[in-house]
Amino acid sequence: MKRIILMVLYNLPFVPYWWWQLCHYAKKADQYEEEERYALLKKITVHANKGGRVKIDAHGLENLPKENGFILYPNHQGMFDVLGFVESCPKPFSVVMKKEVENVMFLKQVFHIMKAKALDRSDIRQGMKVISEVAREVGEGRNYLIFAEGTRSKEGNKILDFKGGSFKAAMKAKCPIVPVAVIDAYKGFDTNSIQPITVQIHYLPPIFYDEYKNMKSTEIAETIKNRIKETIEKNIKKDVDK
């Protein structure tokens, strides 16, 4: 909470106008191209992160597929994660978020602008509908971000098991899967600190459909988890060795 307050105070002269823009774009999202909506979110996010004393250290941007229509699968550390992706990812994307946060002020406007999907984890039928909608949109050239753990890890850089069902949308769309390792993002909003932090985001080489078409969803989940875990452990070790 302290860091959020710092972000607001640092950008106080711009906050009223940005809030108006967010509300306006959220209400009239269909009137703007996705690139234009994403540019607004990126502008606000870059200023917010700077004000909150957060540096985004992104690696592997060259691994992002040249053609749109892919899904990012990162580990999930907290509410700050998406801000790290908006600042670092040059390609617009949407998200699948849990239904519980779809009406939270500010997040509500951001999710409307992104045309995000709300997932009710207690409703299997609704979940299948979301998977089908995401697969269709990805097939049409949209990009998505899905947290395969299903919930945020509460143990810092330690990741949880990845759920096989999270990969059904990619399998249905036959699209590239981009594993992403997130390091230290939990320090953004999940610690009561305003000390300067660096959040690492590592975009790993994608896995294309031909590579995973004969795998079960649980096998894909384990493969992605292991690649992310290995990247996190390697880069944490580098920091310790410095």
Side-chain angles (χ1 to χ4, degrees):
M1 179 58 72
K2 285 184 178 180
R3 197 176 301 275
I4 294 175
I5 293 172
L6 184 64
M7 288 175 168
V8 172
L9 292 177
Y10 180 88
N11 294 288
L12 197 57
F14 310 102
V15 168
Y17 178 62
W18 287 346
W19 176 247
W20 176 85
Q21 280 191 305
L22 282 173
C23 293
H24 175 74
Y25 273 64
K27 288 180 181 178
K28 300 181 181 294
D30 289 335
Q31 297 182 16
Y32 296 94
E33 296 294 331
E34 185 164 42
E35 288 75 11
E36 190 173 0
R37 289 183 275 116
Y38 188 67
L40 171 66
L41 294 179
K42 184 179 282 286
K43 177 183 71 174
I44 294 174
T45 298
V46 168
H47 283 276
N49 287 345
K50 182 178 180 181
R53 308 173 81 185
V54 182
K55 176 184 176 182
I56 305 300
D57 182 20
H59 302 262
L61 290 171
E62 70 278 3
N63 290 322
L64 291 172
K66 290 182 172 56
E67 299 293 329
N68 287 323
F70 58 83
I71 301 180
L72 303 167
Y73 282 96
N75 55 305
H76 190 19
Q77 296 193 346
M79 291 181 66
F80 182 84
D81 295 358
V82 174
L83 297 186
F85 283 103
V86 171
E87 176 168 338
S88 64
C89 186
K91 292 175 175 282
F93 65 90
S94 188
V95 298
V96 175
M97 47 47 175
K98 58 184 181 181
K99 189 176 180 63
E100 292 85 345
V101 301
E102 70 173 332
N103 290 314
V104 175
M105 190 175 72
F106 177 72
L107 292 181
K108 177 181 179 179
Q109 284 73 28
V110 171
F111 289 143
H112 273 300
I113 289 172
M114 299 180 89
K115 294 189 175 183
K117 304 292 184 187
L119 179 67
D120 185 347
R121 293 176 292 184
S122 66
D123 187 336
I124 296 176
R125 180 175 295 180
Q126 191 266 356
M128 294 301 294
K129 181 181 178 182
V130 168
I131 287 172
S132 294
E133 289 176 352
V134 170
R136 175 180 56 79
E137 291 185 13
V138 171
E140 293 171 353
R142 294 196 80 206
N143 308 314
Y144 265 86
L145 183 152
I146 298 176
F147 293 112
E149 290 160 291
T151 188
R152 65 185 175 90
S153 170
K154 296 182 181 180
E155 298 185 58
N157 290 313
K158 182 178 179 180
I159 65 177
L160 306 176
D161 286 336
F162 279 28
K163 301 182 184 302
S166 301
F167 294 89
K168 294 291 187 180
M171 297 170 75
K172 194 175 181 69
K174 301 180 180 180
C175 70
I177 291 172
V178 183
V180 192
V182 178
I183 301 173
D184 288 344
Y186 70 94
K187 296 178 180 178
F189 295 153
D190 291 77
T191 60
N192 196 27
S193 170
I194 57 172
Q195 291 299 312
I197 61 171
T198 297
V199 173
Q200 296 182 49
I201 299 184
H202 297 262
Y203 296 89
L204 306 182
I207 301 176
F208 294 94
Y209 179 65
D210 283 345
E211 299 175 63
Y212 68 78
K213 65 181 180 182
N214 295 320
M215 297 170 66
K216 297 179 181 178
S217 61
T218 52
E219 293 173 329
I220 299 172
E222 191 66 17
T223 298
I224 301 302
K225 175 191 172 183
N226 288 338
R227 293 189 184 187
I228 292 173
K229 182 180 178 182
E230 180 181 334
T231 301
I232 291 174
E233 291 175 348
K234 180 174 66 176
N235 284 279
I236 288 177
K237 186 176 185 301
K238 283 182 181 178
D239 286 343
V240 172
D241 291 341
K242 286 181 180 178

mmCIF file of all heavy atoms in Angstrom, residues 155-185:
data_model
loop_
_atom_site.group_PDB
_atom_site.id
_atom_site.type_symbol
_atom_site.label_atom_id
_atom_site.label_comp_id
_atom_site.label_asym_id
_atom_site.label_seq_id
_atom_site.Cartn_x
_atom_site.Cartn_y
_atom_site.Cartn_z
ATOM 1 N N GLU A 155 5.284 -17.081 -1.322
ATOM 2 C CA GLU A 155 6.626 -17.399 -0.825
ATOM 3 C C GLU A 155 7.701 -16.785 -1.705
ATOM 4 O O GLU A 155 8.660 -17.445 -2.096
ATOM 5 C CB GLU A 155 6.798 -18.916 -0.735
ATOM 6 C CG GLU A 155 5.823 -19.587 0.230
ATOM 7 C CD GLU A 155 6.096 -21.065 0.376
ATOM 8 O OE1 GLU A 155 7.228 -21.435 0.759
ATOM 9 O OE2 GLU A 155 5.188 -21.860 0.081
ATOM 10 N N GLY A 156 7.504 -15.507 -2.035
ATOM 11 C CA GLY A 156 8.524 -14.794 -2.795
ATOM 12 C C GLY A 156 8.760 -15.389 -4.162
ATOM 13 O O GLY A 156 7.847 -15.525 -4.971
ATOM 14 N N ASN A 157 10.013 -15.773 -4.423
ATOM 15 C CA ASN A 157 10.382 -16.281 -5.743
ATOM 16 C C ASN A 157 10.186 -17.785 -5.894
ATOM 17 O O ASN A 157 10.578 -18.365 -6.910
ATOM 18 C CB ASN A 157 11.842 -15.919 -6.045
ATOM 19 C CG ASN A 157 12.009 -14.430 -6.274
ATOM 20 O OD1 ASN A 157 11.248 -13.814 -7.021
ATOM 21 N ND2 ASN A 157 12.999 -13.824 -5.619
ATOM 22 N N LYS A 158 9.585 -18.425 -4.908
ATOM 23 C CA LYS A 158 9.265 -19.842 -5.014
ATOM 24 C C LYS A 158 7.950 -19.983 -5.774
ATOM 25 O O LYS A 158 6.969 -19.315 -5.454
ATOM 26 C CB LYS A 158 9.143 -20.478 -3.634
ATOM 27 C CG LYS A 158 8.845 -21.969 -3.669
ATOM 28 C CD LYS A 158 8.779 -22.548 -2.260
ATOM 29 C CE LYS A 158 8.462 -24.036 -2.301
ATOM 30 N NZ LYS A 158 8.384 -24.622 -0.932
ATOM 31 N N ILE A 159 7.918 -20.842 -6.786
ATOM 32 C CA ILE A 159 6.709 -20.968 -7.591
ATOM 33 C C ILE A 159 5.871 -22.166 -7.169
ATOM 34 O O ILE A 159 6.374 -23.140 -6.601
ATOM 35 C CB ILE A 159 7.037 -21.039 -9.095
ATOM 36 C CG1 ILE A 159 7.826 -22.299 -9.444
ATOM 37 C CG2 ILE A 159 7.810 -19.804 -9.535
ATOM 38 C CD1 ILE A 159 8.081 -22.417 -10.948
ATOM 39 N N LEU A 160 4.572 -22.077 -7.464
ATOM 40 C CA LEU A 160 3.637 -23.150 -7.166
ATOM 41 C C LEU A 160 3.528 -24.081 -8.374
ATOM 42 O O LEU A 160 4.094 -23.810 -9.432
ATOM 43 C CB LEU A 160 2.263 -22.558 -6.840
ATOM 44 C CG LEU A 160 2.211 -21.497 -5.739
ATOM 45 C CD1 LEU A 160 0.792 -20.935 -5.611
ATOM 46 C CD2 LEU A 160 2.668 -22.085 -4.406
ATOM 47 N N ASP A 161 2.791 -25.166 -8.208
ATOM 48 C CA ASP A 161 2.564 -26.066 -9.339
ATOM 49 C C ASP A 161 1.722 -25.362 -10.400
ATOM 50 O O ASP A 161 0.814 -24.582 -10.085
ATOM 51 C CB ASP A 161 1.834 -27.328 -8.874
ATOM 52 C CG ASP A 161 2.749 -28.264 -8.092
ATOM 53 O OD1 ASP A 161 3.978 -28.187 -8.294
ATOM 54 O OD2 ASP A 161 2.233 -29.058 -7.291
ATOM 55 N N PHE A 162 2.024 -25.610 -11.656
ATOM 56 C CA PHE A 162 1.252 -25.051 -12.763
ATOM 57 C C PHE A 162 0.095 -26.000 -13.077
ATOM 58 O O PHE A 162 0.284 -27.210 -13.168
ATOM 59 C CB PHE A 162 2.137 -24.877 -13.995
ATOM 60 C CG PHE A 162 2.978 -23.629 -13.958
ATOM 61 C CD1 PHE A 162 3.385 -23.066 -12.765
ATOM 62 C CD2 PHE A 162 3.354 -23.007 -15.135
ATOM 63 C CE1 PHE A 162 4.143 -21.910 -12.728
ATOM 64 C CE2 PHE A 162 4.123 -21.854 -15.119
ATOM 65 C CZ PHE A 162 4.520 -21.297 -13.910
ATOM 66 N N LYS A 163 -1.083 -25.450 -13.268
ATOM 67 C CA LYS A 163 -2.276 -26.254 -13.512
ATOM 68 C C LYS A 163 -2.418 -26.565 -15.003
ATOM 69 O O LYS A 163 -2.376 -25.662 -15.852
ATOM 70 C CB LYS A 163 -3.510 -25.512 -13.002
ATOM 71 C CG LYS A 163 -3.443 -25.205 -11.505
ATOM 72 C CD LYS A 163 -4.699 -24.516 -11.029
ATOM 73 C CE LYS A 163 -4.589 -24.137 -9.560
ATOM 74 N NZ LYS A 163 -4.342 -25.286 -8.694
ATOM 75 N N GLY A 164 -2.608 -27.837 -15.303
ATOM 76 C CA GLY A 164 -2.717 -28.253 -16.696
ATOM 77 C C GLY A 164 -3.858 -27.569 -17.435
ATOM 78 O O GLY A 164 -3.735 -27.243 -18.622
ATOM 79 N N GLY A 165 -4.970 -27.321 -16.735
ATOM 80 C CA GLY A 165 -6.124 -26.699 -17.380
ATOM 81 C C GLY A 165 -5.837 -25.321 -17.931
ATOM 82 O O GLY A 165 -6.503 -24.864 -18.866
ATOM 83 N N SER A 166 -4.834 -24.652 -17.365
ATOM 84 C CA SER A 166 -4.477 -23.305 -17.823
ATOM 85 C C SER A 166 -3.960 -23.311 -19.255
ATOM 86 O O SER A 166 -3.962 -22.269 -19.926
ATOM 87 C CB SER A 166 -3.404 -22.703 -16.905
ATOM 88 O OG SER A 166 -3.859 -22.623 -15.572
ATOM 89 N N PHE A 167 -3.525 -24.466 -19.731
ATOM 90 C CA PHE A 167 -2.934 -24.557 -21.069
ATOM 91 C C PHE A 167 -3.933 -25.031 -22.130
ATOM 92 O O PHE A 167 -3.583 -25.168 -23.297
ATOM 93 C CB PHE A 167 -1.712 -25.481 -21.037
ATOM 94 C CG PHE A 167 -0.590 -24.923 -20.202
ATOM 95 C CD1 PHE A 167 -0.519 -25.190 -18.851
ATOM 96 C CD2 PHE A 167 0.366 -24.091 -20.766
ATOM 97 C CE1 PHE A 167 0.495 -24.646 -18.060
ATOM 98 C CE2 PHE A 167 1.379 -23.539 -19.987
ATOM 99 C CZ PHE A 167 1.442 -23.824 -18.627
ATOM 100 N N LYS A 168 -5.181 -25.254 -21.709
ATOM 101 C CA LYS A 168 -6.201 -25.705 -22.661
ATOM 102 C C LYS A 168 -6.452 -24.672 -23.758
ATOM 103 O O LYS A 168 -6.696 -25.035 -24.913
ATOM 104 C CB LYS A 168 -7.511 -25.994 -21.912
ATOM 105 C CG LYS A 168 -7.449 -27.162 -20.935
ATOM 106 C CD LYS A 168 -7.319 -28.498 -21.653
ATOM 107 C CE LYS A 168 -7.421 -29.655 -20.668
ATOM 108 N NZ LYS A 168 -7.293 -30.974 -21.331
ATOM 109 N N ALA A 169 -6.387 -23.384 -23.387
ATOM 110 C CA ALA A 169 -6.629 -22.334 -24.386
ATOM 111 C C ALA A 169 -5.555 -22.368 -25.467
ATOM 112 O O ALA A 169 -5.849 -22.240 -26.662
ATOM 113 C CB ALA A 169 -6.674 -20.962 -23.714
ATOM 114 N N ALA A 170 -4.295 -22.530 -25.059
ATOM 115 C CA ALA A 170 -3.198 -22.590 -26.030
ATOM 116 C C ALA A 170 -3.331 -23.822 -26.921
ATOM 117 O O ALA A 170 -3.127 -23.745 -28.149
ATOM 118 C CB ALA A 170 -1.858 -22.608 -25.302
ATOM 119 N N MET A 171 -3.682 -24.950 -26.306
ATOM 120 C CA MET A 171 -3.824 -26.182 -27.077
ATOM 121 C C MET A 171 -4.945 -26.062 -28.106
ATOM 122 O O MET A 171 -4.829 -26.542 -29.228
ATOM 123 C CB MET A 171 -4.079 -27.352 -26.129
ATOM 124 C CG MET A 171 -2.917 -27.620 -25.160
ATOM 125 S SD MET A 171 -3.324 -28.818 -23.862
ATOM 126 C CE MET A 171 -3.272 -30.348 -24.805
ATOM 127 N N LYS A 172 -6.023 -25.411 -27.689
ATOM 128 C CA LYS A 172 -7.171 -25.238 -28.578
ATOM 129 C C LYS A 172 -6.848 -24.274 -29.719
ATOM 130 O O LYS A 172 -7.267 -24.464 -30.854
ATOM 131 C CB LYS A 172 -8.359 -24.717 -27.760
ATOM 132 C CG LYS A 172 -9.712 -24.807 -28.451
ATOM 133 C CD LYS A 172 -10.808 -24.379 -27.492
ATOM 134 C CE LYS A 172 -12.188 -24.482 -28.136
ATOM 135 N NZ LYS A 172 -12.600 -25.885 -28.367
ATOM 136 N N ALA A 173 -6.066 -23.245 -29.391
ATOM 137 C CA ALA A 173 -5.692 -22.246 -30.401
ATOM 138 C C ALA A 173 -4.508 -22.690 -31.246
ATOM 139 O O ALA A 173 -4.225 -22.093 -32.288
ATOM 140 C CB ALA A 173 -5.362 -20.922 -29.718
ATOM 141 N N LYS A 174 -3.780 -23.724 -30.783
ATOM 142 C CA LYS A 174 -2.571 -24.218 -31.462
ATOM 143 C C LYS A 174 -1.537 -23.100 -31.626
ATOM 144 O O LYS A 174 -0.899 -22.959 -32.676
ATOM 145 C CB LYS A 174 -2.924 -24.825 -32.829
ATOM 146 C CG LYS A 174 -3.912 -25.976 -32.759
ATOM 147 C CD LYS A 174 -4.219 -26.535 -34.138
ATOM 148 C CE LYS A 174 -5.219 -27.686 -34.046
ATOM 149 N NZ LYS A 174 -5.550 -28.261 -35.379
ATOM 150 N N CYS A 175 -1.401 -22.324 -30.577
ATOM 151 C CA CYS A 175 -0.563 -21.116 -30.659
ATOM 152 C C CYS A 175 0.769 -21.298 -29.925
ATOM 153 O O CYS A 175 0.938 -22.239 -29.144
ATOM 154 C CB CYS A 175 -1.308 -19.933 -30.037
ATOM 155 S SG CYS A 175 -1.470 -20.042 -28.238
ATOM 156 N N PRO A 176 1.714 -20.388 -30.161
ATOM 157 C CA PRO A 176 2.971 -20.427 -29.405
ATOM 158 C C PRO A 176 2.723 -20.152 -27.911
ATOM 159 O O PRO A 176 1.909 -19.299 -27.552
ATOM 160 C CB PRO A 176 3.797 -19.298 -30.030
ATOM 161 C CG PRO A 176 3.202 -19.080 -31.381
ATOM 162 C CD PRO A 176 1.745 -19.355 -31.220
ATOM 163 N N ILE A 177 3.436 -20.890 -27.088
ATOM 164 C CA ILE A 177 3.409 -20.696 -25.632
ATOM 165 C C ILE A 177 4.726 -20.032 -25.240
ATOM 166 O O ILE A 177 5.799 -20.550 -25.553
ATOM 167 C CB ILE A 177 3.258 -22.046 -24.903
ATOM 168 C CG1 ILE A 177 1.864 -22.636 -25.144
ATOM 169 C CG2 ILE A 177 3.538 -21.897 -23.409
ATOM 170 C CD1 ILE A 177 1.716 -24.060 -24.609
ATOM 171 N N VAL A 178 4.642 -18.882 -24.578
ATOM 172 C CA VAL A 178 5.849 -18.173 -24.168
ATOM 173 C C VAL A 178 5.991 -18.246 -22.645
ATOM 174 O O VAL A 178 5.249 -17.588 -21.915
ATOM 175 C CB VAL A 178 5.817 -16.687 -24.597
ATOM 176 C CG1 VAL A 178 7.129 -15.998 -24.223
ATOM 177 C CG2 VAL A 178 5.568 -16.571 -26.104
ATOM 178 N N PRO A 179 6.931 -19.054 -22.137
ATOM 179 C CA PRO A 179 7.167 -19.087 -20.694
ATOM 180 C C PRO A 179 7.838 -17.777 -20.256
ATOM 181 O O PRO A 179 8.672 -17.240 -20.986
ATOM 182 C CB PRO A 179 8.135 -20.269 -20.507
ATOM 183 C CG PRO A 179 8.169 -20.985 -21.828
ATOM 184 C CD PRO A 179 7.828 -19.968 -22.855
ATOM 185 N N VAL A 180 7.465 -17.269 -19.094
ATOM 186 C CA VAL A 180 8.078 -16.036 -18.600
ATOM 187 C C VAL A 180 8.405 -16.197 -17.114
ATOM 188 O O VAL A 180 7.539 -16.581 -16.322
ATOM 189 C CB VAL A 180 7.162 -14.811 -18.783
ATOM 190 C CG1 VAL A 180 7.951 -13.526 -18.534
ATOM 191 C CG2 VAL A 180 6.531 -14.784 -20.163
ATOM 192 N N ALA A 181 9.652 -15.905 -16.771
ATOM 193 C CA ALA A 181 10.096 -15.978 -15.374
ATOM 194 C C ALA A 181 10.069 -14.585 -14.756
ATOM 195 O O ALA A 181 10.697 -13.664 -15.274
ATOM 196 C CB ALA A 181 11.501 -16.559 -15.294
ATOM 197 N N VAL A 182 9.329 -14.448 -13.681
ATOM 198 C CA VAL A 182 9.211 -13.174 -12.962
ATOM 199 C C VAL A 182 9.947 -13.287 -11.637
ATOM 200 O O VAL A 182 9.725 -14.234 -10.875
ATOM 201 C CB VAL A 182 7.732 -12.823 -12.714
ATOM 202 C CG1 VAL A 182 7.614 -11.516 -11.919
ATOM 203 C CG2 VAL A 182 6.982 -12.720 -14.031
ATOM 204 N N ILE A 183 10.823 -12.328 -11.373
ATOM 205 C CA ILE A 183 11.646 -12.358 -10.165
ATOM 206 C C ILE A 183 11.478 -11.059 -9.378
ATOM 207 O O ILE A 183 11.604 -9.968 -9.948
ATOM 208 C CB ILE A 183 13.133 -12.567 -10.505
ATOM 209 C CG1 ILE A 183 13.331 -13.886 -11.257
ATOM 210 C CG2 ILE A 183 14.003 -12.527 -9.252
ATOM 211 C CD1 ILE A 183 14.745 -14.099 -11.785
ATOM 212 N N ASP A 184 11.176 -11.184 -8.114
ATOM 213 C CA ASP A 184 11.092 -10.061 -7.165
ATOM 214 C C ASP A 184 9.907 -9.128 -7.380
ATOM 215 O O ASP A 184 9.856 -8.048 -6.785
ATOM 216 C CB ASP A 184 12.387 -9.237 -7.154
ATOM 217 C CG ASP A 184 13.540 -9.972 -6.488
ATOM 218 O OD1 ASP A 184 13.285 -10.957 -5.784
ATOM 219 O OD2 ASP A 184 14.697 -9.564 -6.678
ATOM 220 N N ALA A 185 8.918 -9.518 -8.177
ATOM 221 C CA ALA A 185 7.739 -8.671 -8.364
ATOM 222 C C ALA A 185 6.910 -8.586 -7.086
ATOM 223 O O ALA A 185 6.187 -7.610 -6.874
ATOM 224 C CB ALA A 185 6.882 -9.202 -9.508
#
